[in-house]
Amino acid sequence: MRLKLLETTDPRVYDDAVRSMPITSALQGWGYGEARRVLGQIPMRFLIVDDSGRTVGALQLLRKRLVPGFSTLYAPRGPALESLELLPAVAEAVRAIAKPGDALLKIEPPVPISAGPLPAEEGSQIPEAYGPFRRAESEQPEHTILADLSRTEDELFAGLHSMARRNVRTAQKLGVVAGRDDDFGAFWEIFTATNERAKLGAYPRAYYETLLREGNAHGGEAYLVLSRHQGKALAGAFSWAWAAARITCSAAACATTAWTRRASR
């Protein structure tokens, strides 16, 4: 199958395509690209169409400068696709739009893989190669947790570690309350203190402010949650609802496995 990338400048059309795919992620959304623009990266958005003109995917590529004259193309938790079987054709479609200085293409298809034991006959959980792509170090953390939010509150609570359940009950007895909050300053103070204590990396404040603003556009929903005791903010989280999924990050981003291949000829 031959695929073609059609560049689009319409946020609504693009995001609708991303949300409609069974393999998808908010990090392929328009808002995430605008936040990355703050870091000096250039977002490009494409609809992926087949020979009949049918949209079978969407792709947000970030052009990241390496050295003068050379860049990498990065699809954060992407592309959004109908099927992973389309990846080889996507690689060839990217070749058609890549610049001579685009040295590498990195993709991170968001396909969940169980962290539990697998039967021996199933072999490796993550393949070393997929079509023309070879496994590489991912930009996003490789491990995350998926929680089914259609379950009841009691079911979700029962799934927590016993120590976490104990801490929740203690906080409730002490009068700690949690909910959506517009105090970005309080969130940022907690966020930076957590990163410094745990020696984690973080982007500048403007990146998260842009993500919060743009995440609320084009059908998405981004918001802060703060836990407070007697009015004082104690803990916080940044949440981003996208289609049927919701991403919640406290001090780090969420992600998956990466594959790379040479981008240009």
Side-chain angles (χ1 to χ4, degrees):
M1 175 187 292
R2 293 178 60 89
L3 299 178
K4 185 177 181 180
L5 300 185
L6 301 181
E7 189 165 11
T8 178
T9 57
D10 189 325
R12 180 70 66 177
V13 169
Y14 173 77
D15 276 355
D16 284 348
V18 174
R19 274 191 293 267
S20 69
M21 295 298 139
I23 301 173
T24 192
S25 168
L27 273 63
Q28 277 290 289
W30 193 280
Y32 187 75
E34 291 307 299
R36 284 292 189 125
R37 194 188 295 275
V38 173
L39 306 178
Q41 300 168 13
I42 302 174
M44 301 170 291
R45 291 89 171 195
F46 303 90
L47 301 180
I48 305 173
V49 299
D50 62 14
D51 291 331
S52 68
R54 187 173 67 90
T55 300
V56 297
L59 174 63
Q60 176 164 250
L61 288 175
L62 303 176
R63 180 170 279 121
K64 303 165 62 176
R65 185 183 182 191
L66 288 174
V67 295
F70 291 94
S71 303
T72 61
L73 298 177
Y74 170 50
R77 296 206 72 175
L81 288 172
E82 285 188 347
S83 168
L84 286 183
E85 300 299 322
L86 298 173
L87 280 179
V90 170
E92 291 306 313
V94 172
R95 275 186 180 274
I97 59 93
K99 294 182 177 180
D102 292 331
L104 190 72
L105 167 64
K106 176 178 283 190
I107 63 172
E108 294 173 337
V111 180
I113 298 175
S114 172
L118 291 177
E121 61 270 17
E122 293 192 28
S124 175
Q125 295 187 31
I126 302 176
E128 290 300 317
Y130 204 104
F133 294 97
R134 298 294 177 265
R135 189 179 177 192
E137 182 179 354
S138 63
E139 178 164 327
Q140 309 288 343
E142 283 199 358
H143 300 91
T144 186
I145 297 173
L146 299 181
D148 182 1
L149 299 184
S150 66
R151 300 165 64 192
T152 66
E153 184 174 325
D154 289 340
E155 290 173 331
L156 291 171
F157 187 73
L160 297 178
H161 187 276
S162 60
M163 181 60 71
R165 295 197 299 271
R166 183 185 306 172
N167 289 340
V168 170
R169 293 191 182 100
T170 300
Q172 289 175 330
K173 291 179 181 178
L174 293 175
V176 176
V177 294
R180 297 196 185 195
D181 206 298
D182 295 328
D183 191 346
F184 189 90
F187 167 79
W188 186 249
E189 182 178 351
I190 296 169
F191 185 77
T192 52
T194 301
N195 287 335
E196 290 173 0
R197 183 173 60 250
K199 297 182 179 180
L200 299 172
Y203 292 132
R205 176 168 175 159
Y207 167 85
Y208 299 97
E209 291 176 325
T210 301
L211 190 58
L212 185 62
R213 180 183 67 253
E214 295 293 332
N216 271 311
H218 324 307
E221 184 183 18
Y223 56 91
L224 303 176
V225 174
L226 292 179
S227 294
R228 294 180 179 272
H229 181 251
Q230 296 180 353
K232 179 178 175 58
L234 304 176
F238 186 117
S239 293
W240 188 3
W242 177 264
R246 189 176 303 270
I247 296 176
T248 301
C249 303
S250 54
C254 310
T256 187
T257 303
W259 286 283
T260 61
R261 72 156 297 162
R262 186 175 177 182
S264 58
R265 297 186 187 277

